[in-house]
Each structure stands twice: as C-alpha cells, then as structure tokens.
Amino acid sequence: MAVLEEPIKGVPLVKNYIDGEWVESKGEIRDVVNPATYQTIGKVPISTKDEIDTAVEAAKAAFPDWRRTTPVARARYLFRLKELMEEHFEEISRIQTQEHGKTIDESRGETRRGIENVEVACGIPTLMMGYNLEDIAAGIDEYLIRVPLGVFGIIGPFNFPWMIPLWSAPYAVATGNCIVVKPSSEVPFSQMKVAELVEEAGFPPGVWNVVNGGRTVVNGMLDHPDIKGIAFVGSTPTAKDVIYKRCGETGKRVIAQGGAANFMVIMPDCDVRATVASMMTSFFGNTGQRCLSGQTLIIVGEDDGFYKSFMGAVIEMTSRIVIGYGLDESVQMGPLRDKEKKEKVLRYIESGIEEGAKLILDGRKNVKIVGDYPDTCFLGATILENVTPDMKIVREEIFGPTMGVIRVKTLDEAIEICNENPFHNGDAIFTSSGKSAREFQYGVISGNVGINVGIVAPMAFFPFSGMPDSFFGILHTQGQEAVRFFTESKVVIQRWF
Ligand code: NAD
C-alpha cells in the first residue's frame, strides 16, 4: 500500500513558543530522526537556562490577567482549540507517525485521546465548582472555592508525543494557570503543532509556552521559585529520583507518573478468540512502548491442552503482524523509537535466555519489513516461555515488542506474582467468571485494572492512575484529579450583617 504524504517536509528547525512568539533557541541543535526511514526530518534545540527563565517570566506576567479571565471565557479558548485540533486531525496524526514511528491508526487513536482531554477541560465552569454550607454557626455561611496557583511546568515522555502533555495542559490553563510545556526532545513536532493551534485559537501571549530541550530545561523548572508545580510523565528513575525528590525539596506540587512492567492474566474460561486479539494490541501495540503494555502473560491452570491451543493461536497471530513504516496503512507495527531503544530490548531478550527462558518466537530474525527501509530500529514480536517471576524480563521495564509467559496453577498465585512486583501500572484478567474477575480486581495493587480489556487506558474524565514504583504523588493527570492538582482550595467564612 502507498505511504501517506508526510506532513514534516525538508528539515525544519523547531523553535520555542514563548510569550506568543516563535523564538529560535541559542542552545545546541540536535537531529530528529524518523525511526522508520532513518532519515533526519528536523532539528531540535536543547534550550538554555536563560530560555526557560524567560518562558517562566512570560507565564508569570500573563497569570494575573488570565486568572481574572472568567472560567466561561477560558473555556471558549479551549472550545476553539478543540475545533482546530479536529480540523488538523489527520495532519496531527501523521506528524506523530513521522517523528515517533507508531502506525497511523495508533496515532489517530492518540490524537483522539488528546482531544478528549481538551473536551473535558471545556467543562471547567462546572468542574471547578466548590461547595458551601449555610449556617456553620447562626448567621454564618462557609464556602470553598478553587483558585489557580500561577505557573506550572509540564514535562512529557517520548512515547505519546501528542497526547501526554494534553493529560495536563488543558486543565492547567482552564483552571486559570499559565504553563511551560517541555516535550521530549526526541519527538518535538507534535507539541509544536499544539503551540501553533494555541496561537491560532488566540490564547493571550504567555499563557501557554513551549520550550524544547532536555535536563537543563527540566532542572530550570525544578529550581525556579515561580513554578508552583510540575506534572511529569516519563520513566521511573526520572519520576522518582529527579522530579518527585526535587519537588519535595523545593516545596512544589508534583504529579510524577513513571514506567511499568504489566501482567496479563489468562483464565482457562476466557473467550480465546477475543483474548488473543486483545493480546496483540496489549503486548505489541505501539511496538510495546506503552506504560500500559502487557509484558508478562500469566496463564492459569494445569490444562496442557488449553495452554497449547492458546499459545498456538497467540504465536500464529503474532507471526502475521505486518511490520513497516506506519504511514503505510497496511502496517500493524512500526519500529522502536531509536537504535538505542532497540539495543536495550535486545539485551533484555538475551538476559531472558541466559536466565533460562525459552525463545518460541524470535523477532530478531527474519524481520520482514514492508517497503524498502533499513532495519535499524525495527524488531519483530518476540515470545519467551518458561519464564519465572524473578527474571529481569519480568521485574524490569523492557518497553519493546516482547511477551514473557509464566504458567501457574491458581489465580491466587497469579495475583501474588503481580503484587510481588510492585512495578506495574495496568494489569488485566481475561475470564468469563465474575468471581475470578472480582477476586482479581480486589487482589491486585495495580492502579489500572482491566477485565477482558488489555490496555487499561482511562478515558479523559477518569484519572490516569498508577501504583507503587510507577507513580509518585497523590493526584493524577486527567479529569477531576487534574483540576484538583492545578487548583488550591480557598475557604471563606462569611457573617451576614
Ligand atoms: P524519560 O524519563 O527518559 O524522559 C521523560 C522526560 O524527562 C523527557 O522530557 C526528558 O527530557 C526528561 N528527562 C529524562 N531524564 C532526565 C533527567 N535525568 N533529568 C531531568 N529530566 C530528564 O522517559 P522516556 O524514555 O521519554 O519515556 C518513556 C517512559 O515513560 C517509560 O518508562 C514509560 O513507561 C513511561 N510512561 C509512563 C506513563 C504513565 O502514565 N505512568 C505514560 C507514558 C510513559
């Protein structure tokens, strides 16, 4: 099938969007590489400390007026932004595929999920409401209102370049704050598109800024006294040891969502056809680069016949996954984001084999790529069985298209394996038994639980939850919890004369 037209043309230099202006950075310039074609598609700056300071100053200066803009008026900007996002839906999706490598359908799904957060934030006049009580004492009433705090920093990972900053940004500005967004420097174009649409929607200068870069920008945010809080999504080492720790030291609010290594539990009474299909998206969707990806399959029961036929169907379907450039609509799995990420996954496959796992589908060999592309970042889906819970391929996040298979006798054992490894974000069970589903939901500590659903990605009006070692903070991104995070409660007591 033909490759769709690429929206990023030439090799454009990404600029920062500060105070309503497109500004060229003075920082070091790096290449942005399309992982499928392995061609340089753009240049991204690693912005300087001065540049993040300028953006924070602009956001601080914009705050008093933006805070006084009524919630209904702020919502109107978001309605306009949503309209523009719909108008540019296909272009936005193709940008993600071009810079990240995911398939166009995965990108379209991501675009939709991002827009849904803008839609939910459009309801801010209702979402932001407080509450009151008449007569807390005779003739005295008390009420609570939610007020914005000032400037927030929003930091994104590479794997969902469009959607993840939108888990926070629309709520932050809807509640009356001003923001500085730092996208992953590996995939800067999606948030540049957001900034273009923010500009077109007419947001006042300084309300929504984007500064590209790496650690210098993040550290600049963490150290800046005018940044009131940080909404971060990325790996656990950064979430825990950098963001959560430093925000604690400097007294900033924090959401720090980290990585994960998730479990999919298969009961022998599951609907095999539907479950196998769900396994494909769970383990291999987004080339396994999701914090909600399945990493370990736990098959419950001693029925060898069930095990063989289930795994037979999984292998058969997995072997048929079409690999290639995601802008070809026939492609079902794109490349890993870069060469280093592929090498990391290869090391995990090796470690699994060294620790005694048996390779039953080797994605390293004979990767058939549709089209004429270098195999630099491509890796086929890989399945290992005879896996045990203590192996590195279970305990650590692989972030690639691999499946490790464990067999256990009972559901209790499966739940124990999940909970012994607290580093998981979304676990799921596949069963037709309400009792097993209830036991699983009750027993697992994971923050996102799937029942016959492999990717437990909460809708925008629910929080994106997590659990120990994959989440740090109290409140989460998305929906009502994001509104709480970006506001402070102000309590007023009034005596009527
Ligand atoms: P990462 O932690 O390497 O980078 C995330 C962001 O932090 C980037 O913007 C990066 O520039 C910055 N950063 C990285 N190291 C830093 C440091 N030492 N100091 C300051 N800033 C630093 O994560 P990634 O590789 O971009 O993203 C993939 C990770 O994100 C995976 O672990 C995945 O599971 C996780 N993730 C989690 C969720 C969730 O909701 N829990 C969602 C998506 C992705």
Side-chain angles (χ1 to χ4, degrees):
M1 207 181 263
V3 170
L4 299 169
E5 193 182 340
E6 294 176 328
I8 306 168
K9 295 189 194 311
V11 183
L13 172 66
V14 171
K15 291 183 182 168
N16 292 331
Y17 183 65
I18 300 175
D19 207 12
E21 303 283 338
W22 292 95
V23 195
E24 218 166 279
S25 165
K26 294 191 173 58
E28 174 205 336
I29 303 294
R30 291 192 189 157
D31 288 348
V32 181
V33 174
N34 176 332
T37 62
Y38 218 62
Q39 283 171 349
T40 298
I41 55 166
K43 303 269 178 193
V44 63
I46 302 302
S47 302
T48 62
K49 165 108 177 37
D50 283 353
E51 287 161 349
I52 179 66
D53 286 350
T54 307
V56 177
E57 275 162 35
K60 188 183 177 193
F63 177 63
D65 281 353
W66 186 241
R67 190 234 189 284
R68 283 179 186 279
T69 305
T70 62
V72 177
R74 292 197 298 258
R76 284 190 193 119
Y77 287 97
L78 288 163
F79 275 114
R80 176 80 188 118
L81 181 62
K82 178 228 161 2
E83 291 280 303
L84 290 166
M85 288 175 167
E86 297 287 2
E87 279 169 30
H88 291 263
F89 190 97
E90 183 61 16
E91 181 199 352
I92 290 164
S93 305
R94 291 186 194 182
I95 290 173
Q96 289 159 57
T97 296
Q98 205 181 343
E99 69 175 352
H100 174 279
K102 62 184 68 187
T103 69
I104 187 64
D105 270 352
E106 288 165 346
S107 295
R108 289 175 186 141
E110 176 172 351
T111 306
R112 177 56 57 213
R113 286 300 188 100
I115 293 175
E116 281 168 2
N117 278 282
V118 180
E119 285 170 337
V120 172
C122 285
I124 203 66
T126 315
L127 290 171
M128 224 180 144
M129 276 182 186
Y131 47 86
N132 55 31
L133 182 69
E134 188 183 51
D135 281 343
I136 54 150
I140 302 177
D141 300 339
E142 184 162 341
Y143 53 96
L144 177 143
I145 47 183
R146 298 201 187 287
V147 296
L149 284 94
V151 183
F152 278 85
I154 294 171
I155 302 164
F158 83 87
N159 63 328
F160 285 96
W162 164 264
M163 173 184 75
I164 288 186
L166 294 174
W167 285 352
S168 298
Y171 306 99
V173 297
T175 46
N177 300 284
C178 297
I179 55 172
V180 183
V181 178
K182 192 211 82 72
S184 163
S185 58
E186 298 171 37
V187 284
F189 285 100
S190 296
Q191 289 308 306
M192 283 302 94
K193 190 71 211 171
V194 174
E196 274 174 44
L197 301 180
V198 162
E199 184 182 35
E200 204 178 330
F203 278 80
V207 169
W208 192 314
N209 306 277
V210 181
V211 176
N212 292 281
R215 293 175 190 196
T216 306
V217 175
V218 172
N219 289 331
M221 285 181 177
L222 292 169
D223 290 339
H224 206 295
D226 290 327
I227 292 233
K228 300 297 176 207
I230 301 279
F232 169 90
V233 179
S235 64
T236 289
T238 320
K240 188 177 178 182
D241 303 333
V242 181
I243 307 292
Y244 189 63
K245 188 164 175 260
R246 295 269 297 282
C247 284
E249 284 163 6
T250 52
K252 296 187 195 314
R253 290 188 170 201
V254 64
I255 290 175
Q257 296 182 187
N262 307 305
F263 298 90
M264 303 287 124
V265 175
I266 310 296
M267 300 299 287
D269 60 9
C270 71
D271 174 333
V272 173
R273 233 175 103 105
T275 304
V276 171
S278 189
M279 290 305 97
M280 295 301 106
T281 3
S282 174
F283 283 84
F284 308 120
N286 221 36
T287 323
Q289 299 169 114
R290 269 192 187 123
C291 65
L292 290 173
S293 285
Q295 184 168 305
T296 306
L297 189 71
I298 306 181
I299 301 193
V300 179
E302 294 179 271
D303 181 347
D304 290 342
F306 171 79
Y307 179 82
K308 275 195 191 125
S309 73
F310 186 84
M311 285 312 297
V314 168
I315 292 166
E316 206 267 319
M317 212 161 170
T318 308
S319 320
R320 283 195 277 122
I321 295 175
V322 179
I323 299 172
Y325 185 10
L327 283 182
D328 174 336
E329 286 183 284
S330 69
V331 163
Q332 295 166 311
M333 190 166 86
L336 286 151
R337 186 25 236 154
D338 58 45
K339 210 164 78 179
E340 290 69 33
K341 291 183 179 51
K342 175 176 161 182
E343 277 157 14
K344 184 177 161 209
V345 179
L346 291 175
R347 284 198 295 277
Y348 273 114
I349 295 173
E350 281 301 322
S351 100
I353 297 166
E354 277 162 24
E355 288 188 280
K358 187 174 152 211
L359 198 59
I360 53 170
L361 189 70
D362 191 350
R364 301 170 302 175
K365 289 188 185 145
N366 307 321
V367 183
K368 288 195 197 73
I369 303 162
V370 178
D372 187 18
Y373 303 107
D375 68 358
T376 323
C377 304
F378 286 101
L379 178 65
T382 297
I383 304 180
L384 296 124
E385 64 178 6
N386 293 353
V387 168
T388 52
D390 53 325
M391 290 181 182
K392 274 210 285 196
I393 55 167
V394 176
R395 301 196 69 81
E396 297 176 15
E397 182 178 48
I398 301 175
F399 228 50
T402 66
M403 174 190 282
V405 188
I406 296 181
R407 283 190 77 177
V408 295
K409 291 189 179 129
T410 64
L411 177 57
D412 284 347
E413 278 178 78
I415 294 174
E416 205 178 309
I417 290 172
C418 295
N419 291 346
E420 265 174 8
N421 175 5
F423 187 48
H424 46 126
N425 215 6
D427 297 330
I429 186 168
F430 290 80
T431 180
S432 56
S433 153
K435 184 170 181 288
S436 300
R438 175 65 164 75
E439 264 176 43
F440 185 76
Q441 174 208 300
Y442 197 85
V444 282
I445 58 172
S446 173
N448 303 294
V449 177
I451 297 169
N452 297 318
V453 171
I455 294 290
V456 206
M459 300 299 289
F461 25 84
F462 284 96
F464 197 101
S465 195
M467 265 294 156
D469 285 352
S470 62
F471 175 78
F472 308 90
I474 298 172
L475 297 167
H476 305 84
T477 50
Q478 293 203 149
Q480 189 67 64
E481 288 206 18
V483 173
R484 291 285 307 277
F485 178 73
F486 290 113
T487 54
E488 182 59 271
S489 310
K490 186 181 273 190
V491 176
V492 182
I493 299 179
Q494 182 168 21
R495 174 176 294 172
W496 297 92
F497 291 111

